[in-house]
Amino acid sequence: MIGTVLAFFSLFSEAMAAARERTFIMVKPDGVQRGIVGKIIKRFEEKGFKLIALKFMWASEDLLKQHYAELAGKPFFPGLINYMNSGPVVPMVWEGLNVVKTGRQMLGATNPADSAPGTIRGDLCIQVGRNIIHGSDAVETANREIALWFTEKELIQWKPAIESWVYED
Ligand code: DAT
Ligand code: MG
């Protein structure tokens, strides 16, 4: 009997875990230079999302070209790679319910001129070529980007003490 109950709860918690996605967020070189890394991290922390991985690095051109591979044909691509390679970045993985979509909403529109006030880009930057932060646009993209920037070992499994105050189940 106890075994059945335990099995039920473990299945249930697995289903809940499955509902909690992961997204890839990165502070770009301008965000680092402007000293707003902490502010950006704070927004995700305060929302209740869970930090899974984070590092500080100067990304290679090769990595950045892979990251932005689908934009390779765009006229702004060389400038984008140059900008992203102009200084260190802070790649991160955040986890939570609907974190991909909510993360994009927290970032605001790609062009800060169109980003709503209250969003990260809407509040903290002005031009599309200096839009301070990256966020995955879909679950599949997130999985690809996470695998590109982090090894499996760098993704930390942990249970935040606040979890039962952020989620009702
Ligand atoms: P997002 O970063 O919102 O996912 P995206 O994937 O379309 O936007 O483009 C990646 C980055 O490329 C974007 O953050 C800034 C740059 N970019 C996009 N469109 C641009 C444009 N029209 N001119 C200059 N840079 C642009
Ligand atoms: Mg994008």
Side-chain angles (χ1 to χ4, degrees):
M1 175 63 185
I2 287 177
T4 315
V5 171
L6 284 179
F8 173 77
F9 276 110
S10 104
L11 268 180
F12 181 74
S13 66
E14 267 174 40
M16 280 309 299
R20 300 211 181 134
E21 304 167 350
R22 287 177 174 182
T23 194
F24 177 74
I25 299 290
M26 175 163 53
V27 183
K28 296 180 177 181
D30 46 348
V32 172
Q33 292 286 357
R34 291 179 49 201
I36 50 186
V37 172
K39 204 171 258 185
I40 289 171
I41 291 175
K42 196 168 177 62
R43 295 228 186 181
F44 283 86
E45 279 186 322
E46 285 184 337
K47 174 74 178 166
F49 289 135
K50 170 173 149 185
L51 183 63
I52 296 294
L54 174 149
K55 56 189 167 188
F56 182 62
M57 60 187 281
W58 197 314
S60 69
E61 244 185 73
D62 183 54
L63 175 60
L64 293 165
K65 282 180 179 163
Q66 286 186 63
H67 175 75
Y68 282 127
E70 64 185 33
L71 299 175
K74 303 278 185 190
F76 59 81
F77 185 73
L80 173 63
I81 299 301
N82 232 2
Y83 154 55
M84 292 298 298
N85 185 235
S86 66
V89 292
V90 181
M92 299 173 255
V93 178
W94 289 88
E95 186 180 276
L97 195 62
N98 294 322
V99 69
V100 172
K101 183 170 175 229
T102 304
R104 288 289 289 193
Q105 287 170 339
M106 288 167 65
L107 259 60
T110 301
N111 189 336
D114 304 322
S115 318
T119 64
I120 293 168
R121 286 166 172 166
D123 288 351
L124 301 172
C125 57
I126 295 172
Q127 281 192 322
V128 70
R130 295 288 183 272
N131 65 358
I132 68 171
I133 184 165
H134 167 83
S136 312
D137 61 9
V139 174
E140 272 177 25
T141 321
N143 292 338
R144 182 184 77 81
E145 292 173 349
I146 291 167
L148 184 63
W149 289 84
F150 291 96
T151 64
E152 197 57 44
K153 262 191 162 173
E154 289 173 324
L155 306 172
I156 308 301
Q157 293 203 28
W158 65 294
K159 186 173 166 57
I162 60 162
E163 201 163 79
S164 63
W165 300 102
V166 174
Y167 296 99
E168 63 178 334
D169 47 34

